[in-house]
Amino acid sequence: MFTDFIVLSSFTHQIDCFCPCCYEDEVIMFKTGDQLILKDEHRHIPELGTYILVEVNNEKEYFISLADLESYYLQERICSFMDISLKENYLKYKIDEALKVRNEDNFRTYVQQYKQIQQLQQRLQEKKVSRIHF
């Protein structure tokens, strides 16, 4: 199972709180490029399911439903770092293939998608570099 994920498109998530002192649930905004790291800690709550501790951008931690995480993954709102590498390799192959058969439309489509992946990786790299300097 992958433990490191990246947000591909911004979305909000309602955090469920199970302590008796909470009157309202917190809503958090995940932004494109945010890093999510699944921790080993998890809780199973009868009738609600399993919740996993997720660290966001090496800053805050939240318990998020495993079902919600799976849904975000299937909706392609988040993906693993391995998925990004595989997508990059696939797009390189498709660009080469489009060049060989001289298909300009496919070439442009795949180059645009490849540029989006490169921009995402650049943002990730900048986040890592900026954290090192603090």
Side-chain angles (χ1 to χ4, degrees):
M1 180 172 118
F2 298 113
T3 59
D4 295 357
F5 291 84
I6 178 107
V7 175
L8 296 176
S9 60
S10 298
F11 64 95
T12 58
H13 175 78
Q14 179 135 2
I15 299 295
D16 301 319
C17 183
F18 308 107
C19 62
C21 62
C22 290
Y23 295 105
E24 59 185 69
D25 295 330
E26 181 179 358
V27 175
I28 58 173
M29 176 72 178
F30 290 114
K31 297 180 212 137
T32 302
D34 282 351
Q35 296 176 21
L36 309 178
I37 300 171
L38 295 142
K39 300 296 195 170
D40 289 334
E41 189 173 344
H42 63 278
R43 303 240 163 83
H44 181 76
I45 298 165
E47 289 137 32
L48 293 177
T50 301
Y51 285 75
I52 296 177
L53 186 63
V54 177
E55 183 179 281
V56 180
N57 294 326
N58 296 322
E59 295 169 358
K60 291 189 174 186
E61 294 181 339
Y62 305 96
F63 277 99
I64 298 178
S65 163
L66 181 60
D68 287 344
L69 290 170
E70 182 179 17
S71 173
Y72 297 147
Y73 184 80
L74 293 174
Q75 294 170 10
E76 297 184 357
R77 290 181 175 182
I78 64 173
C79 74
S80 71
F81 284 92
M82 179 64 76
D83 290 334
I84 291 174
S85 294
L86 291 172
K87 178 89 173 183
E88 181 180 26
N89 287 335
Y90 171 77
L91 290 171
K92 285 179 185 178
Y93 168 77
K94 295 305 274 182
I95 289 168
D96 288 343
E97 188 178 72
L99 283 171
K100 284 180 187 174
V101 297
R102 299 177 190 262
N103 186 329
E104 187 175 344
D105 291 337
N106 284 350
F107 175 78
R108 290 180 191 273
T109 299
Y110 293 127
V111 166
Q112 183 177 1
Q113 291 175 14
Y114 183 77
K115 286 180 180 178
Q116 291 172 344
I117 293 286
Q118 291 296 307
Q119 289 171 349
L120 183 60
Q121 289 180 334
Q122 173 110 19
R123 277 189 258 161
L124 289 174
Q125 194 65 16
E126 288 170 358
K127 280 186 177 185
K128 287 181 183 177
V129 171
S130 67
R131 286 199 183 110
I132 293 170
H133 293 295
F134 284 114

